[in-house]
Amino acid sequence: MNDSTTDPTARPVVLDVWCELQCPDCRTALEDLRALRDRYGDRLEVRLRHFPLEKHKHAYAAAQAAEEALAQGACWPYVERVLGGVAELDARGEAYLLQVARELGLDDEEFDTALIDGRHLLAVDADQAEGKAIGVTGTPTYVIGGERLDGGKSQEGLRARVEEIADRLLAGG
């Protein structure tokens, strides 16, 4: 029997989170994501997946900036900071994305270059295409153990459902 709580070779359960960094519902979901990461640690791999919505003018640039933060080793701190400032992102756009990079000690010039040269466009487009292919229509949307959970309308009970699935998968069932 493979006990994933003690076996260092056990693979983590993957939670894909289709998110949009200008989305107030995704900002609301941050508390749940933090709680899940705290509860499961390395046993749960929370992967940011991009699903920029056309109604938010800075969402596509924010997705590219998040990919640059990932490249610089600070994806979740960056994502959390940007989501925490949705109103500022609405008002200031790319200037805010660069400010957050600076505040986190990241190379903001590299962020600016990445937004200009489009080096992360393919990653963002691939996430969005995959999301559409599996039926994602809004954010946040979670996929764990092959099950899609839509969080855009209500976060109510969502974390408990993710925990239930994660516990079952980690137990080998």
Side-chain angles (χ1 to χ4, degrees):
M1 184 170 155
N2 183 13
D3 182 2
S4 61
T5 59
T6 58
D7 182 358
T9 64
R11 300 181 78 171
V13 169
V14 174
L15 172 64
D16 283 325
V17 181
W18 266 268
C19 182
E20 196 240 63
L21 298 186
Q22 206 171 348
C23 171
D25 291 329
C26 290
R27 181 186 64 224
T28 302
L30 272 178
E31 184 179 326
D32 285 341
L33 291 174
R34 283 186 197 115
L36 288 166
R37 288 198 317 260
D38 287 347
R39 176 176 175 176
Y40 293 101
D42 291 342
R43 296 178 305 138
L44 180 71
E45 179 184 350
V46 180
R47 294 192 311 200
L48 177 68
R49 306 300 296 272
H50 303 289
F51 203 80
L53 303 170
E54 288 181 21
K55 67 182 180 179
H56 293 134
K57 126 180 170 181
H58 304 297
Y60 205 80
Q64 292 176 73
E67 282 296 305
E68 183 57 32
L70 175 64
Q72 292 189 31
C75 182
W76 282 108
Y78 186 82
V79 165
E80 289 188 17
R81 183 78 61 92
V82 171
L83 279 171
V86 167
E88 202 162 349
L89 178 57
D90 287 345
R92 297 184 49 224
E94 290 184 17
Y96 178 65
L97 298 172
L98 298 175
Q99 175 191 326
V100 170
R102 261 190 314 278
E103 290 172 356
L104 292 173
L106 302 173
D107 185 342
D108 62 318
E109 288 182 22
E110 200 59 34
F111 270 77
D112 191 36
T113 302
L115 291 172
I116 292 167
D117 71 17
R119 69 182 73 159
H120 301 296
L121 289 173
L122 288 176
V124 173
D125 288 345
D127 277 357
Q128 192 166 39
E130 184 178 339
K132 286 179 181 177
I134 64 167
V136 173
T137 57
T139 57
T141 296
Y142 307 94
V143 175
I144 182 169
E147 190 169 337
R148 190 182 79 229
L149 306 168
D150 298 318
K153 300 224 183 319
S154 171
Q155 296 293 304
E156 188 68 35
L158 202 55
R159 183 169 76 200
R161 183 70 184 123
V162 169
E163 289 174 346
E164 176 187 314
I165 295 167
D167 288 344
R168 183 182 74 234
L169 293 170
L170 288 167

